[in-house]
Each structure stands twice: as C-alpha cells, then as structure tokens.
Amino acid sequence: MSVSLDQLRRCHVAVDLGAARTRVFVKGAGLVVDEPSVAAVNTRTGALIAVGALAEKMTGRTPDYIRVMRPVSGGTVVDIEMAQRMLRHLLGEKLRRQLRRKPRLRAAACTPHEADPLAQRAAVETLVGLGARRVELVDTLIAAAVGCGLPVEQPTATMIMVCGAATTQVAVLSLGSIVTAERIPVGGDAIDHAVIQHLRHQHELMLPSQSVRPLQLALSGNGLTLQGPTSTEIHGRDVATGLARSVQVDTAAVRDAIHTPLTAVLDGIGKILRDCPPDLVADLADRGIMMVGGSALLPGLDQMLRDATGMPVHIAERPDVCAILGLGSMLEGRIQPMILDPLAEAE
C-alpha cells in the first residue's frame, strides 16, 4: 500500500470517481453519494443543467445546445473543471458547508492500478478544487479487497477482479500489497458495445444508446448461461428505414458475441497466474477469485470464469460499492495492519 493507514485515518472524506458512477464516503456519515458520473451542460451559456441520474436520462434525448458529458473515463478524470462542478452539485450545499468547517480538510481517492502521473495529478487537482488541503491516493484493487472482507493483511494469497465500466483490473494480494496485477481495457461498456454491434450487423437493428441496458434486454432470464431462454425479443430502430422494429434474437449468438471481448479478460487472468509465485497459486486454488464492480453482476460471467480457470469464483455481497466501502473502513480505522516485529521475537 503506497499510503499508510495512519495517513488515511486523518482523512475526512473518500471519493471513488468511476467511469460509470461517482461515490463519496464521509467519515461518521457513511456513503452519502452514489450517482452516475454524468453532467448535462448548456453549451450556449455554460450553465450546468443536471448531474447524476437525471443527466444520464438525458443521454441521446437532448437538443443541440445541451451536451451530456462524462468527465471521468476509465477511472481517470479527463475534464477536471467539469468533474469539480459535478462533485459540488452531487455533494449539495449542506454537506459542503460541513466539510468547509474542517480546518485542514483531507481527502482520499481511489485510482486505477498503475495509473500514470497525469491521471493521479488529475484526481488530486479535482479534490483540491473542492477545498481539500491534502489528497491521499489508494489503489482501487486494495480498497475493493478491503471492502469485500478479504484478509488482505495476512500472508495468504487473495485474488480480486474489479469489473468496471471501462476497464477490468485483476490482482493477487498478499501482506497488504499487490504481488502481481493486470489492467485490461475491457469492461461493461465493451460488452454492451459487442451486443449492439451484433444486433446491427446480424439484424440491422439499432438500439437506443442509454435508454435501455442492451445487455440486460438481450440476456433477460440469465441468457449468458446455457440454461437461459433460446431466444428473446428486442425492440429498436431499423438501420435502413429508421422505423421502430422488433426482432427475435438467438441468445446463443449473443452469448458468442459477448465472449469475444471477454477472452481478453481470460488472457489477463492467465498472465497473472503465470507471473504469480507457486505458493500463492496453491492458495488461490482453494480461495479462488473474488469478483467486485458493477459488471461482476453480468449473468453467467462467474460460471464462465470457473470453466476457464478451474478455480472457485465468488461475487461480493455488494460488488458495486466495495471500493468506496473499503476506503471508508480505512478512514474510520477499522482495518488493522499485521504487526511484524522480528526484534521482539529475538529477545
């Protein structure tokens, strides 16, 4: 862990700026914000019209002068000013007043594994613009492992897989640190895109961009597994005529389309296991893989990983909020490091 637990205990607020959702944890108050990372802006006046869930509903439904923006991409802040404005509105005036009363406000933020210095700087600048005097950065993999209750500080291997909207991060942890990790540029958005492209090429059907989750529609009734329904009805717009149309889609074909981007995830897991020391791999054979993140709930994904790796696969109890809850546990001092004192034993 790059930052010590003592430093994190001095922080007052924790922020997880994700590509899909923004979450804020305040010490003593718990999880206070859990909203989509979306902002709608009037391009004529520069005014912020909506943020969060309301702005997400506007996607694909706005006139020319309203632009729906996502200031975070792949766990990295790409528009610092817009991210600050979005956070201010999500926090609300009352909560911001409470935080301003802190004489030296400290904040903690989740960053993707091996985030480059520019991405780290963007996260720090975003929170400094909200009044934080000091910002501590914590690896998302460690925060998520703590949040789902894995024994991170013990000398045993734990494997965690953070399934995000834009990226999938896989790591093996031991003694509170990352032994080996891999960041794969495939996430829930890539899987949704694969379904959309399949329907466009095979059925000449265009799905609405954000109004429905194409994945949930195509895979209703656990369609990613072989026990799911053989076909399902999809509504969309005809590519040629532009008229509304419904088609019967074979879920087996959709399953094959989804497996294409998921092969990159399986390759990443294979690379992790090859780079991992044999003793830790032996631990993983018993403990298996813990899946967290919003895309971990993709129906049948856990079974596909079991078949490909031969290891047990578990989904966390609340996979979407594990990272921010883990960061909050560190802030409130609920995580105790394993004390290694060889001098005391020598005496």
Side-chain angles (χ1 to χ4, degrees):
M1 199 181 295
S2 57
V3 57
S4 71
L5 288 172
D6 288 336
Q7 289 173 307
L8 286 173
R9 287 193 193 103
R10 299 192 191 105
C11 294
H12 306 98
V13 60
V15 178
D16 180 13
L17 280 166
R21 299 184 76 86
T22 293
R23 299 177 175 94
V24 180
F25 185 100
V26 175
K27 187 187 284 187
L31 188 63
V32 294
V33 173
D34 184 2
E35 292 277 342
S37 305
V38 189
V41 183
N42 186 328
T43 54
R44 293 174 183 170
T45 62
L48 198 63
I49 296 172
V51 294
L54 180 58
E56 190 176 46
K57 288 179 183 176
M58 295 181 181
T59 305
R61 294 186 169 91
T62 58
D64 293 340
Y65 66 91
I66 295 178
R67 185 179 169 203
V68 178
M69 305 175 65
R70 289 183 175 269
V72 185
S73 175
T76 302
V77 178
V78 292
D79 188 336
I80 295 174
E81 182 189 355
M82 188 52 62
Q84 289 174 350
R85 294 175 69 185
M86 181 185 73
L87 269 174
R88 282 193 199 101
H89 281 77
L90 288 176
L91 286 171
E93 185 61 35
K94 183 180 177 184
L95 189 55
R96 277 187 288 139
R97 272 203 306 268
Q98 289 177 5
L99 294 176
R100 276 200 296 266
R101 292 195 194 109
K102 309 285 185 187
R104 289 187 60 82
L105 180 65
R106 287 175 173 240
C110 290
T111 55
H113 178 65
E114 289 184 346
D116 58 80
L118 281 176
Q120 295 179 2
R121 179 66 182 260
V124 171
E125 289 288 332
T126 301
L127 296 183
V128 167
L130 292 174
R133 298 294 183 89
R134 184 183 174 101
V135 179
E136 310 288 357
L137 299 179
V138 179
D139 198 306
T140 304
L141 290 163
I142 293 178
V146 170
C148 61
L150 291 176
V152 181
E153 299 293 338
Q154 299 301 315
T156 56
T158 52
M159 190 172 193
I160 188 158
M161 180 174 167
V162 180
C163 309
T167 59
T168 299
Q169 303 174 66
V170 190
V172 174
L173 309 174
S174 181
L175 286 174
S177 297
I178 295 173
V179 178
T180 178
E182 190 75 14
R183 189 176 168 195
I184 306 145
V186 172
D189 290 346
I191 295 168
D192 286 358
H193 183 70
V195 175
I196 291 172
Q197 289 301 311
H198 168 76
L199 293 174
R200 181 165 185 160
H201 293 147
Q202 299 297 321
H203 300 277
E204 297 184 348
L205 193 75
M206 288 183 68
L207 288 180
S209 57
Q210 289 290 331
S211 59
V212 294
R213 288 283 292 176
L215 193 60
Q216 293 174 0
L217 265 178
L219 302 178
S220 56
N222 207 15
L224 187 58
T225 60
L226 296 173
Q227 291 78 26
T230 56
S231 65
T232 185
E233 189 176 18
I234 302 291
H235 306 280
R237 192 183 78 187
D238 191 283
V239 173
T241 64
L243 299 175
R245 187 162 65 91
S246 300
V247 295
Q248 285 289 332
V249 178
D250 181 20
T251 50
V254 175
R255 192 160 55 237
D256 293 339
I258 286 174
H259 279 191
T260 304
L262 289 179
T263 52
V265 177
L266 296 176
D267 290 343
I269 293 175
K271 185 177 184 301
I272 290 279
L273 294 173
R274 286 193 298 273
D275 295 344
C276 197
D279 290 345
L280 294 182
V281 175
D283 289 346
L284 294 176
D286 298 329
R287 306 182 75 89
I289 305 171
M290 178 65 77
M291 293 174 60
V292 301
S295 301
L297 298 172
L298 174 66
L301 178 58
D302 52 341
Q303 186 59 48
M304 194 191 83
L305 290 176
R306 283 190 200 99
D307 296 340
T309 62
M311 294 193 299
V313 177
H314 315 282
I315 300 176
E317 188 175 345
R318 297 179 65 189
D320 49 342
V321 293
C322 278
I324 191 66
L325 293 182
L327 205 50
S329 299
M330 296 180 198
L331 260 63
E332 295 182 338
R334 295 201 294 266
I335 306 300
Q336 297 298 325
M338 184 177 178
I339 298 172
L340 300 173
D341 193 359
L343 294 177
E345 291 179 6
E347 293 173 0

